[in-house]
Amino acid sequence: DTAVSQTPKYLVTQMGNDKSIKCEQNLGHDTMYWYKQDSKKFLKIMFSYNNKELIINETVPNRFSPKSPDKAHLNLHINSLELGDSAVYFCASSQASVDTGELFFGEGSRLTVL
Amino acid sequence: AQSVTQPDIHITVSEGASLELRCNYSYGATPYLFWYVQSPGQGLQLLLKYFSGDTLVQGIKGFEAEFKRSQSSFNLRKPSVHWSDAAEYFCAVALYKLSFGAGTTVTVRA
């Protein structure tokens, strides 16, 4: 059983489109995250949710909207996609309520905006 | 400003040789420290972590790391590298949130 699963794994789309990435964790963790990894492999946190409540929102354009319907799911919706949004997006989860614990990562969703 | 630095962008090592990856941090207090590994096309996996106590910590896959407060460093080591250790390695520090270094790419030659 995959602990943190993301879909889709690959996404190719045109500029201006809207797309969503879904994430589910079966670890019973309270906290979930979205990270963005750029072409230079630099990882930056975007959002963090604890028990469906947003706790970290790192200067991300408001075209990006996370949604957590329950504590096992954290989805990322992106409006009006831009070229610079091309990246690998990682979902992660942790048991800790603040970001001091071990994170379990999904395999990533590679978004390519043409 | 708070930061975590991995000075080496790319390291090439022969199979069976030892490996050391450097990590330095700049924080007001001692943060929690982590090393993660990312194999090609995969997500990140935690190798080891340091919260407090013994400054030499053992991790998975034969890795260890040593915390040196005086040098603000948390270097990762492995005595004998296997071809499967070729990957991207990230040092990370946590003080209210987890921040990653830029990563070090490890290439293993036969």
Side-chain angles (χ1 to χ4, degrees):
Chain A
D1 262 356
T2 305
V4 181
S5 57
Q6 303 177 223
T7 53
K9 194 163 183 175
Y10 298 96
L11 205 51
V12 180
T13 189
Q14 300 287 333
M15 271 175 53
N17 284 350
D18 304 338
K19 289 293 175 188
S20 292
I21 307 171
K22 295 186 175 184
C23 179
E24 176 182 4
Q25 55 97 2
N26 63 7
L27 298 166
H29 287 166
D30 289 335
T31 308
M32 295 185 73
Y33 311 81
W34 279 110
Y35 278 83
K36 179 181 180 181
Q37 186 174 47
D38 63 23
S39 57
K40 296 184 179 176
K41 301 202 173 178
F42 184 68
L43 273 158
K44 186 170 166 53
I45 189 167
M46 300 173 70
F47 302 103
S48 172
Y49 270 75
N50 178 259
N51 252 325
K52 303 192 298 175
E53 196 175 321
L54 181 66
I55 55 173
I56 292 176
N57 183 346
E58 287 283 305
T59 56
V60 177
N62 56 16
R63 298 183 294 104
F64 290 79
S65 51
K67 283 192 172 50
S68 182
D70 55 63
K71 75 173 193 176
H73 295 85
L74 179 62
N75 303 325
L76 182 66
H77 187 75
I78 315 171
N79 289 327
S80 304
L81 279 156
E82 300 177 357
L83 293 176
D85 297 331
S86 295
V88 181
Y89 292 85
F90 285 99
C91 177
S93 72
S94 71
Q95 186 53 53
S97 58
V98 292
D99 209 341
T100 56
E102 174 181 356
L103 267 60
F104 291 79
F105 282 82
E107 294 191 343
S109 297
R110 181 176 294 276
L111 171 65
T112 303
V113 183
L114 303 174
Chain B
Q2 298 176 337
S3 66
V4 54
T5 304
Q6 293 180 245
D8 305 303
I9 297 173
H10 192 177
I11 286 180
T12 299
V13 61
S14 298
E15 194 168 14
S18 64
L19 174 68
E20 181 166 13
L21 304 181
R22 296 182 291 163
C23 174
N24 295 97
Y25 64 90
S26 172
Y27 280 72
T30 299
Y32 298 149
L33 299 160
F34 306 81
W35 275 99
Y36 281 82
V37 61
Q38 183 181 22
S39 297
Q42 300 294 313
L44 281 75
Q45 181 184 22
L46 181 70
L47 283 176
L48 45 77
K49 59 190 176 189
Y50 174 78
F51 287 175
S52 65
D54 193 347
T55 56
L56 186 64
V57 293
Q58 303 296 321
I60 62 171
K61 304 184 187 217
F63 284 92
E64 66 178 25
E66 186 172 14
F67 168 61
K68 291 187 177 179
R69 185 187 304 274
S70 60
Q71 297 176 17
S72 297
S73 68
F74 188 56
N75 293 348
L76 181 72
R77 297 194 292 254
K78 185 167 184 177
S80 177
V81 163
H82 186 260
W83 64 265
S84 60
D85 293 322
E88 192 79 20
Y89 290 81
F90 293 93
C91 180
V93 302
L95 196 64
Y96 309 114
K97 66 176 181 179
L98 192 66
S99 297
F100 288 88
T104 298
T105 304
V106 173
T107 299
V108 180
R109 59 179 175 230

Coordinates of all heavy atoms in Angstrom, one line a residue, chain A residues 1-51:
Chain A
D1 N 0.8 -1.2 0.0 CA 0.0 0.0 0.0 C 0.9 1.3 0.0 O 1.7 1.4 0.9 CB -0.9 0.0 1.3 CG -2.3 -0.5 1.0 OD1 -2.5 -0.8 -0.2 OD2 -3.0 -0.6 1.9
T2 N 0.6 2.2 -0.9 CA 1.4 3.4 -1.0 C 1.0 4.3 0.1 O -0.2 4.6 0.3 CB 1.2 4.1 -2.3 OG1 1.5 3.2 -3.4 CG2 2.1 5.3 -2.4
A3 N 1.9 4.8 0.9 CA 1.6 5.6 2.1 C 1.1 7.0 1.7 O 0.0 7.5 2.2 CB 2.8 5.8 3.0
V4 N 1.8 7.7 0.8 CA 1.3 9.0 0.3 C 1.2 8.8 -1.3 O 2.3 8.6 -1.9 CB 2.3 10.1 0.6 CG1 1.8 11.4 0.1 CG2 2.5 10.1 2.1
S5 N 0.1 9.0 -1.8 CA -0.1 8.8 -3.2 C -0.6 10.1 -3.9 O -1.5 10.8 -3.3 CB -1.0 7.6 -3.5 OG -2.3 7.8 -2.9
Q6 N -0.1 10.4 -5.0 CA -0.5 11.6 -5.7 C -0.9 11.2 -7.1 O -0.4 10.3 -7.8 CB 0.7 12.6 -5.9 CG 1.4 13.0 -4.7 CD 2.6 13.9 -5.0 OE1 3.6 13.7 -4.4 NE2 2.5 14.8 -6.0
T7 N -1.9 11.9 -7.6 CA -2.4 11.8 -9.0 C -2.7 13.1 -9.6 O -3.3 14.0 -8.9 CB -3.6 10.9 -9.1 OG1 -4.6 11.4 -8.2 CG2 -3.3 9.4 -8.7
P8 N -2.4 13.3 -10.9 CA -1.6 12.4 -11.8 C -0.1 12.5 -11.5 O 0.3 13.4 -10.9 CB -2.0 12.9 -13.2 CG -2.2 14.4 -13.0 CD -2.8 14.5 -11.6
K9 N 0.6 11.6 -12.1 CA 2.1 11.6 -11.9 C 2.7 12.6 -13.0 O 3.7 13.2 -12.7 CB 2.6 10.2 -12.1 CG 4.1 10.1 -11.7 CD 4.5 8.6 -11.6 CE 5.9 8.6 -11.0 NZ 6.4 7.2 -10.7
Y10 N 2.0 12.7 -14.1 CA 2.5 13.6 -15.1 C 1.3 14.4 -15.6 O 0.2 13.9 -15.8 CB 3.1 12.8 -16.3 CG 4.3 12.0 -16.0 CD1 4.2 10.7 -15.7 CD2 5.6 12.6 -15.9 CE1 5.3 9.9 -15.4 CE2 6.7 11.9 -15.6 CZ 6.5 10.5 -15.3 OH 7.7 9.8 -15.0
L11 N 1.6 15.7 -15.9 CA 0.5 16.6 -16.4 C 1.1 17.5 -17.4 O 2.1 18.2 -17.0 CB 0.0 17.4 -15.2 CG -1.4 17.9 -15.1 CD1 -2.4 16.9 -15.5 CD2 -1.6 18.5 -13.7
V12 N 0.6 17.5 -18.6 CA 1.1 18.4 -19.6 C -0.1 19.3 -20.1 O -1.1 18.7 -20.4 CB 1.7 17.7 -20.8 CG1 2.2 18.7 -21.9 CG2 2.9 16.8 -20.4
T13 N 0.1 20.6 -20.0 CA -1.1 21.4 -20.3 C -0.6 22.7 -20.9 O 0.5 23.1 -20.9 CB -1.9 21.7 -19.0 OG1 -3.1 22.3 -19.3 CG2 -1.1 22.5 -18.1
Q14 N -1.6 23.5 -21.4 CA -1.3 24.8 -22.1 C -1.4 25.9 -21.0 O -2.1 25.8 -20.0 CB -2.3 25.0 -23.2 CG -2.3 24.0 -24.3 CD -1.1 24.1 -25.2 OE1 -0.6 25.2 -25.3 NE2 -0.7 23.0 -25.8
M15 N -0.7 27.0 -21.3 CA -0.8 28.2 -20.5 C -2.2 28.6 -20.4 O -3.0 28.5 -21.4 CB 0.0 29.3 -21.1 CG 1.4 29.4 -20.7 SD 2.3 30.6 -21.6 CE 1.3 32.1 -21.4
G16 N -2.6 29.1 -19.3 CA -4.0 29.6 -19.1 C -5.0 28.6 -18.6 O -6.1 29.0 -18.2
N17 N -4.6 27.3 -18.7 CA -5.6 26.3 -18.3 C -5.6 26.2 -16.7 O -4.7 26.7 -16.1 CB -5.2 24.9 -18.8 CG -5.6 24.8 -20.3 OD1 -6.3 25.6 -20.9 ND2 -5.1 23.7 -21.0
D18 N -6.6 25.5 -16.2 CA -6.7 25.2 -14.8 C -6.5 23.7 -14.6 O -7.0 22.9 -15.4 CB -8.1 25.6 -14.3 CG -8.4 27.0 -14.5 OD1 -7.5 27.8 -14.7 OD2 -9.7 27.3 -14.5
K19 N -5.7 23.3 -13.6 CA -5.5 21.9 -13.3 C -5.5 21.6 -11.8 O -5.2 22.5 -11.0 CB -4.1 21.5 -13.9 CG -4.1 21.4 -15.4 CD -5.0 20.3 -16.0 CE -5.1 20.3 -17.5 NZ -6.1 19.4 -18.0
S20 N -5.7 20.3 -11.5 CA -5.7 19.9 -10.1 C -4.8 18.7 -9.9 O -4.7 17.9 -10.8 CB -7.1 19.6 -9.6 OG -7.9 20.7 -9.6
I21 N -4.2 18.7 -8.8 CA -3.4 17.5 -8.4 C -4.0 17.0 -7.0 O -4.3 17.8 -6.1 CB -1.9 17.8 -8.1 CG1 -1.3 18.5 -9.4 CG2 -1.1 16.6 -7.8 CD1 0.1 19.1 -9.1
K22 N -4.1 15.7 -7.0 CA -4.8 15.1 -5.7 C -3.7 14.4 -4.9 O -2.8 13.8 -5.5 CB -5.9 14.2 -6.1 CG -7.1 14.9 -6.8 CD -8.2 14.0 -7.0 CE -9.4 14.8 -7.6 NZ -10.6 14.0 -7.8
C23 N -3.9 14.4 -3.6 CA -3.0 13.7 -2.7 C -3.8 13.0 -1.6 O -4.7 13.6 -1.0 CB -2.0 14.6 -2.1 SG -0.9 13.8 -1.0
E24 N -3.4 11.8 -1.3 CA -4.0 11.0 -0.2 C -3.0 10.3 0.6 O -2.0 9.8 0.0 CB -5.0 10.0 -0.8 CG -5.6 9.1 0.2 CD -6.5 8.0 -0.4 OE1 -6.6 7.9 -1.7 OE2 -7.2 7.3 0.3
Q25 N -3.1 10.3 1.9 CA -2.2 9.6 2.7 C -3.0 8.6 3.6 O -4.1 9.0 4.1 CB -1.3 10.5 3.6 CG -2.0 11.5 4.4 CD -2.2 11.1 5.9 OE1 -1.8 10.1 6.3 NE2 -2.9 12.0 6.6
N26 N -2.4 7.4 3.8 CA -3.1 6.4 4.6 C -2.3 6.1 5.9 O -2.4 5.0 6.4 CB -3.3 5.1 3.8 CG -2.1 4.5 3.3 OD1 -1.0 4.9 3.7 ND2 -2.2 3.5 2.4
L27 N -1.5 7.0 6.3 CA -0.7 6.9 7.5 C -1.4 7.4 8.8 O -0.8 7.2 9.8 CB 0.6 7.6 7.3 CG 1.5 7.1 6.1 CD1 2.6 8.1 5.8 CD2 2.0 5.8 6.4
G28 N -2.5 7.9 8.6 CA -3.2 8.5 9.8 C -2.6 9.8 10.3 O -2.8 10.1 11.5
H29 N -1.8 10.4 9.5 CA -1.1 11.6 9.9 C -2.1 12.8 10.0 O -3.1 12.9 9.3 CB 0.0 12.0 9.0 CG 1.2 11.1 9.1 ND1 2.2 11.0 8.2 CD2 1.6 10.2 10.1 CE1 3.1 10.1 8.6 NE2 2.7 9.6 9.7
D30 N -1.7 13.8 10.9 CA -2.5 15.0 11.0 C -2.1 16.1 10.1 O -3.0 17.0 9.9 CB -2.4 15.5 12.5 CG -3.1 14.6 13.5 OD1 -4.0 13.8 13.1 OD2 -2.6 14.6 14.7
T31 N -0.9 16.1 9.6 CA -0.4 17.2 8.8 C 0.0 16.8 7.4 O 0.6 15.8 7.2 CB 0.8 17.9 9.6 OG1 0.5 18.1 10.9 CG2 1.2 19.2 8.9
M32 N -0.4 17.7 6.5 CA -0.1 17.4 5.1 C 0.5 18.7 4.5 O 0.2 19.8 4.9 CB -1.3 16.9 4.3 CG -1.8 15.6 4.8 SD -3.1 14.9 3.8 CE -2.3 14.4 2.3
Y33 N 1.3 18.5 3.4 CA 2.0 19.6 2.8 C 2.0 19.5 1.3 O 1.9 18.4 0.7 CB 3.5 19.5 3.3 CG 3.8 19.3 4.7 CD1 3.7 18.1 5.3 CD2 4.1 20.4 5.5 CE1 4.0 17.9 6.6 CE2 4.4 20.2 6.9 CZ 4.3 19.0 7.4 OH 4.5 18.8 8.8
W34 N 2.2 20.7 0.7 CA 2.6 20.7 -0.7 C 4.0 21.4 -0.8 O 4.1 22.5 -0.3 CB 1.6 21.5 -1.6 CG 0.4 20.6 -1.9 CD1 -0.9 20.8 -1.5 CD2 0.4 19.5 -2.9 NE1 -1.7 19.8 -2.0 CE2 -0.9 19.0 -2.9 CE3 1.3 18.9 -3.7 CZ2 -1.3 18.0 -3.7 CZ3 1.0 17.8 -4.4 CH2 -0.4 17.4 -4.4
Y35 N 4.9 20.8 -1.6 CA 6.2 21.3 -1.9 C 6.3 21.5 -3.4 O 5.8 20.6 -4.1 CB 7.3 20.4 -1.4 CG 7.6 20.6 0.1 CD1 6.9 19.9 1.1 CD2 8.7 21.4 0.5 CE1 7.2 20.0 2.4 CE2 9.0 21.5 1.9 CZ 8.3 20.8 2.8 OH 8.6 21.0 4.1
K36 N 7.1 22.5 -3.8 CA 7.4 22.6 -5.2 C 8.9 22.4 -5.4 O 9.7 23.0 -4.7 CB 7.0 24.0 -5.7 CG 7.3 24.3 -7.1 CD 6.9 25.8 -7.5 CE 7.2 26.1 -9.0 NZ 6.8 27.5 -9.4
Q37 N 9.2 21.6 -6.4 CA 10.6 21.4 -6.7 C 10.9 21.9 -8.1 O 10.3 21.4 -9.1 CB 11.0 19.9 -6.6 CG 12.5 19.7 -6.8 CD 12.9 18.2 -6.6 OE1 12.3 17.3 -7.1 NE2 14.0 18.0 -5.8
D38 N 11.7 22.9 -8.2 CA 12.0 23.5 -9.5 C 13.0 22.7 -10.3 O 13.5 21.7 -9.9 CB 12.4 25.0 -9.4 CG 13.7 25.2 -8.6 OD1 14.5 24.2 -8.6 OD2 13.9 26.3 -8.1
S39 N 13.3 23.3 -11.5 CA 14.2 22.6 -12.4 C 15.6 22.4 -11.9 O 16.4 21.5 -12.3 CB 14.3 23.3 -13.8 OG 14.7 24.6 -13.6
K40 N 16.0 23.2 -10.9 CA 17.3 23.1 -10.2 C 17.2 22.2 -9.0 O 18.1 22.1 -8.2 CB 17.9 24.4 -9.9 CG 18.2 25.3 -11.1 CD 18.8 26.6 -10.8 CE 19.1 27.4 -12.0 NZ 19.7 28.7 -11.8
K41 N 16.1 21.5 -8.8 CA 15.8 20.6 -7.7 C 15.7 21.3 -6.3 O 15.7 20.6 -5.3 CB 16.9 19.5 -7.6 CG 17.0 18.7 -8.9 CD 17.6 17.4 -8.7 CE 17.5 16.5 -10.0 NZ 18.1 15.2 -9.9
F42 N 15.5 22.6 -6.4 CA 15.3 23.3 -5.1 C 13.9 23.1 -4.6 O 12.9 23.2 -5.4 CB 15.6 24.8 -5.3 CG 15.4 25.6 -4.0 CD1 16.4 25.4 -3.0 CD2 14.4 26.5 -3.8 CE1 16.3 26.1 -1.8 CE2 14.3 27.2 -2.7 CZ 15.2 27.0 -1.6
L43 N 13.7 22.7 -3.3 CA 12.5 22.4 -2.8 C 12.0 23.5 -1.9 O 12.7 24.0 -1.0 CB 12.6 21.1 -1.9 CG 12.4 19.8 -2.5 CD1 13.1 18.8 -1.6 CD2 11.0 19.4 -2.7
K44 N 10.7 23.9 -2.1 CA 10.2 25.0 -1.3 C 8.8 24.6 -0.9 O 8.0 24.2 -1.7 CB 10.1 26.3 -2.2 CG 9.7 27.5 -1.4 CD 9.9 28.7 -2.3 CE 9.3 30.0 -1.7 NZ 9.6 30.2 -0.3
I45 N 8.5 24.9 0.4 CA 7.2 24.6 0.9 C 6.2 25.6 0.4 O 6.5 26.8 0.2 CB 7.1 24.5 2.4 CG1 5.8 24.0 2.9 CG2 7.5 25.9 3.0 CD1 5.8 23.7 4.4
M46 N 5.0 25.1 0.0 CA 4.0 26.0 -0.4 C 2.9 26.1 0.6 O 2.5 27.2 1.0 CB 3.3 25.4 -1.7 CG 4.3 25.3 -2.9 SD 3.5 24.4 -4.2 CE 2.4 25.7 -4.8
F47 N 2.4 25.0 1.1 CA 1.2 25.0 2.0 C 1.4 23.9 3.0 O 2.0 22.8 2.7 CB -0.1 24.8 1.3 CG -0.4 25.8 0.3 CD1 -0.3 25.5 -1.1 CD2 -0.9 27.0 0.6 CE1 -0.6 26.4 -2.1 CE2 -1.2 28.0 -0.4 CZ -1.1 27.6 -1.7
S48 N 0.8 24.1 4.2 CA 0.7 23.0 5.2 C -0.6 23.1 5.8 O -1.1 24.1 6.1 CB 1.8 23.2 6.2 OG 1.6 22.3 7.3
Y49 N -1.2 21.9 6.0 CA -2.5 21.8 6.6 C -2.4 20.8 7.8 O -1.8 19.8 7.7 CB -3.6 21.2 5.7 CG -4.3 22.2 4.8 CD1 -3.7 22.8 3.8 CD2 -5.6 22.5 5.1 CE1 -4.4 23.7 3.0 CE2 -6.3 23.4 4.4 CZ -5.7 24.0 3.3 OH -6.4 25.0 2.5
N50 N -3.0 21.2 8.9 CA -3.1 20.3 10.1 C -4.6 20.1 10.4 O -5.3 21.0 10.7 CB -2.4 21.0 11.3 CG -2.5 20.1 12.5 OD1 -3.3 20.3 13.4 ND2 -1.7 19.1 12.6
N51 N -5.0 18.9 10.3 CA -6.4 18.5 10.5 C -7.4 19.4 9.8 O -8.3 20.0 10.3 CB -6.7 18.6 12.0 CG -6.9 17.3 12.6 OD1 -7.4 16.4 12.0 ND2 -6.5 17.2 13.9

